[in-house]
Amino acid sequence: MTRVLLAGGGTAGHVNPLLAIADELMVQGQCAASEILVLGTTEGLESRLVPAAGLTLVTVARLPFPRRLSLYALAFWPRFVIATFQVVRMILRNRVEIVAGFGGYACAPAYVAAWLTRTPSVIHEANSVAGFANRLGARLSPHVATTFASTDLPGAKRIGMPLSRSITHPELTPSPADARAHFGLSPQKKTLVITGGSQGARSINATIDAGLADLLATGWQLLHIVGARNDVPKKPPKGYVGLSYCDRMDLAFAAATAMVSRAGAATVSEISLLGIPAIFVPYPVGNGEQEKNARGSVDAGAALLVRDADFTPRYVLEKMVPLLGDDKALAKMARSAKDLGDRDASGDFVRMMLEALGRVEEKE
């Protein structure tokens, strides 16, 4: 058995692949739950999702990398050194044999601590544009995996996105009718699922609210995951179900005939694997990684891409409504999506971990 430190967190895009790898390690018999430590922060989604998964969460301070000279920047490096030596103590005290990181604030001190203690480390970069922590980690480890081939990290191998086994290898595949009934929707109606990620997206929500009558007039019904920071309509119209957060995204995907979504790496990967026609509305702030995340699906004809500023009630009326009425176009998009997913990414990443430990031979 192997003692593992999994580092990552903040958003679902970092936490969910981490949990998928934890599950894969246990399914393969590489680890017991008691041998897995998860390193995160107290502020991220990991503070809720990791204990809910029956795993032990240890934390360090949330330390965003400073992008300009400021008082915070001056204090950053001493705080980073403190966090790094906290992780060094965790590694030594728990006799950790390998560190795996998935991006997020906790990863940078974990990678440096692994390097200092000569503990093997393995990195997974979810997005098409790598963040600071994983760019640092890729300089300290030869074992680097990515979701997208376009991600520019030295020596990286594309394996895809580690996803929950409830999506990649479900014990029982839920029917669309059963999934819709779970959410209180009509079992037989075509269903549009809208999600802006774990925190929601106000701009997407506002456009859906404004175009709701036009969307419902198509005969479709809507499952709208508004996000934890946004309010669910108190008096929703018939055919509309709103949720603040969805703990059963496997059922939401099963319910979907089509989707409107941000273009986080995990969401793009899940939608592609399941062959769901999609309209991606990339998050407009940051380094543009979400637009790049969606590019492969769009180029394959499996999805449409619309910039956040262009996702308006007019777009709903002129683009979305005609698409929802075109069964042939939706079927073609679904077929195009089917070849884009990576069902065995979790197993491939665990194999990379075993290669780093010298327990299996590296593939050529």
Side-chain angles (χ1 to χ4, degrees):
M1 305 294 274
T2 306
R3 292 178 292 277
V4 175
L5 179 70
L6 304 180
T11 65
H14 296 309
V15 179
N16 287 340
L18 181 155
L19 293 176
I21 294 303
D23 187 46
E24 184 70 21
L25 286 165
M26 291 186 287
V27 167
Q28 289 192 17
Q30 305 292 345
C31 294
S34 61
E35 295 174 304
I36 299 175
L37 280 180
V38 178
L39 178 68
T41 69
T42 58
E43 294 94 339
L45 271 180
E46 64 272 21
S47 64
R48 182 173 67 85
L49 297 182
V50 169
L55 300 173
T56 300
L57 177 69
V58 291
T59 61
V60 291
R62 179 181 180 273
L63 295 172
F65 185 73
R67 300 183 184 277
R68 57 187 175 84
L69 186 62
S70 64
L71 291 176
Y72 171 79
L74 294 175
F76 172 82
W77 290 110
R79 295 177 69 196
F80 182 83
V81 170
I82 291 170
T84 297
F85 279 96
Q86 287 176 335
V87 184
V88 166
R89 286 195 295 272
M90 293 175 192
I91 290 173
L92 297 177
R93 185 187 310 126
N94 294 282
R95 293 181 295 164
V96 169
E97 297 170 73
I98 189 166
V99 172
F102 301 86
Y105 298 118
C107 280
Y111 296 146
V112 176
W115 180 77
L116 289 171
T117 59
R118 298 185 178 182
T119 304
S121 62
V122 185
I123 293 101
H124 184 274
E125 174 53 54
N127 286 300
S128 56
V129 180
F132 163 75
N134 280 353
R135 292 200 307 272
L136 172 64
R139 292 180 177 275
L140 302 176
S141 171
H143 306 286
V144 183
T146 66
T147 298
F148 301 105
S150 60
T151 304
D152 185 17
L153 284 175
K157 176 183 178 183
R158 195 202 78 83
I159 65 167
M161 171 65 80
L163 300 172
S164 167
R165 292 184 71 87
S166 66
I167 292 171
T168 61
H169 299 84
E171 293 182 7
L172 179 66
T173 303
S175 70
D178 290 342
R180 292 164 189 163
H182 172 83
F183 295 108
L185 293 162
S186 171
Q188 303 306 322
K189 272 193 172 184
K190 296 175 186 176
T191 303
L192 180 66
V193 176
I194 304 108
T195 175
S198 56
Q199 301 303 316
R202 290 182 181 177
S203 58
I204 292 178
N205 293 347
T207 293
I208 294 299
D209 289 346
L212 189 54
D214 292 323
L215 291 169
L216 292 174
T218 64
W220 285 54
Q221 58 190 349
L222 275 65
L223 175 62
H224 188 183
I225 305 164
V226 302
R229 297 177 180 175
N230 304 295
D231 295 327
V232 176
K234 294 180 180 179
K235 294 183 179 180
K238 186 178 180 181
Y240 174 97
V241 171
L243 301 173
S244 291
Y245 186 81
C246 182
D247 285 316
R248 292 298 306 273
M249 281 305 297
D250 57 321
L251 293 180
F253 288 131
T257 312
M259 292 192 67
V260 174
S261 174
R262 287 294 195 211
T267 304
V268 170
S269 299
E270 289 163 339
I271 289 172
S272 298
L273 179 67
L274 297 171
I276 303 171
I279 296 174
F280 291 122
V281 189
Y283 185 54
V285 179
N287 55 14
E289 74 272 12
Q290 287 208 357
E291 185 169 339
K292 294 177 182 178
N293 290 346
R295 182 52 57 190
S297 295
V298 173
D299 290 347
L304 301 178
L305 185 138
V306 54
R307 288 186 169 87
D308 188 82
D310 298 327
F311 189 66
T312 63
R314 183 175 179 179
Y315 181 90
V316 170
L317 184 60
E318 295 181 357
K319 300 293 184 180
M320 283 184 63
V321 167
L323 178 63
L324 297 183
D326 191 340
D327 289 343
K328 289 184 178 179
L330 291 169
K332 184 178 180 181
M333 291 172 72
R335 288 195 299 272
S336 298
K338 276 293 188 181
D339 295 329
L340 299 177
D342 297 280
R343 195 172 298 275
D344 296 318
S346 294
D348 290 340
F349 188 79
V350 168
R351 180 181 176 86
M352 187 175 283
M353 293 174 68
L354 296 176
E355 289 170 356
L357 286 166
R359 296 184 184 175
V360 297
E361 292 185 4
E362 294 192 28
K363 291 183 178 180
E364 294 293 332

